[in-house]
Amino acid sequence: MPDSPVIDVAGLSVTYGDFAAVRDLSFTVHRGELYALLGTNGAGKTSTLEVIEGHRKATSGTVRIFGASPQDRQAVRPRMGIMLQESGFSPDLTVEESVALIGSLSGRDDTVDRVLGVVGLTRKASTIVAQLSGGEKRRLDFATAVYGGPELVILDEPTTGLDIQSRDALWAAVDRLREAGSTVVLTTHYLEEAQERADRIGLMHEGRLHREGTVAELTRTLPSVITFGLPPGAPEPPTVGALNGAFHIETFQLQDDLHRLLAWAHDRGVELEKLQAGPTRLDDVFRALDAA
Ligand SMILES: Nc1ncnc2c1ncn2[C@@H]1O[C@H](COP(=O)(O)OP(=O)(O)OP(=O)(O)O)[C@@H](O)[C@H]1O
């Protein structure tokens, strides 16, 4: 049997009144992939996820999850775990009651103890939701998404408000889900998280899928940058452009140009100051969006 996409979005538009928040959006997510849907504020990511989650109807276009309509709860819900940006837990339920409730609604098999262990909330099992810290609430949101190890996990800004230990724990849990074969869709404003983990990235801007590809594909079109300063009286460096008092080289051959610069400095006994060299980052691709 051919491996059909887990998520298939085709020509999706979402409008609010006469404002088009999502415009003719198409992308697919394949089994086992971690797909990061990134974008500027208001780009339409949450609106898109809401359609995928079955919480909002498309204005036009189609969305299929495991080949079914997102509105087909019976077909989709047991296979999809969702971590929303804001949860709707009842404040007077305890942590374990909340997980048990969402777990039973999911239709997946699991135990509350296991899930609380995964998200590090075991010691808070009897605490009511109203008394959780912001980060603990986020972990509770995550618990409901990973209950029963769903085949598809949607994570909408999962690490916002989490300390570094909680972030590491969350990504370790995501890694375990992926090892078990789960597909993950992620939105985040922490670009380094997407840069490190995403198999592919869809970059949304003003309702459209502006760019799509692996991190390498997205960054390849922008040059890498080398910056450095020179001590007073140093000779003229090899062909570079000067910027803000420091020297600034934009290059598509980072290794070659860096080698040439270092050899030049070494031959003349020049100590380069504040030398920095790095590949193009996703941040740069984002900054270039404004110029698009
Ligand atoms: N219920 C609504 N009614 C009217 N406009 C809305 C509604 N929900 C979202 N919008 C608008 O649609 C656009 C897309 O919003 P959406 O929340 O999908 O973007 P986003 O990419 O998730 O943004 P962010 O990164 O800021 O969370 C925004 O301009 C927003 O103001």
Side-chain angles (χ1 to χ4, degrees), residues 170-189:
L170 182 141
W171 289 122
V174 170
D175 287 344
R176 285 199 291 277
L177 277 167
R178 296 195 68 203
E179 282 156 20
S182 295
T183 305
V184 180
V185 174
L186 162 76
T187 74
T188 180
H189 287 290

Side-chain angles (χ1 to χ4, degrees), residues 16 19 21 40-47 56 85 157 189:
Y16 300 107
F19 175 69
T40 44
N41 283 136
K45 305 177 294 292
T46 297
S47 303
R56 181 177 296 286
Q85 261 184 49
E157 298 192 23
H189 287 290

Side-chain angles (χ1 to χ4, degrees), residues 3 16 23 25 37 42 73 77 91-92 113 122 142 157 164 180 186 221 224 226-227 243 265 267 275 283:
D3 197 10
Y16 300 107
R23 309 168 195 206
L25 180 72
L37 193 60
R73 292 296 169 99
R77 176 167 271 176
D92 47 3
D113 284 352
T122 304
F142 183 60
E157 298 192 23
I164 191 70
L186 162 76
T221 52
S224 302
I226 305 170
T227 56
L243 185 76
D267 290 349
L275 173 65
D283 313 39

Side-chain angles (χ1 to χ4, degrees), residues 205-220:
H205 187 49
E206 297 177 346
R208 296 185 193 281
L209 193 66
H210 188 74
R211 308 271 300 277
E212 190 186 49
T214 63
V215 172
E217 284 165 350
L218 292 180
T219 54
R220 176 178 302 157

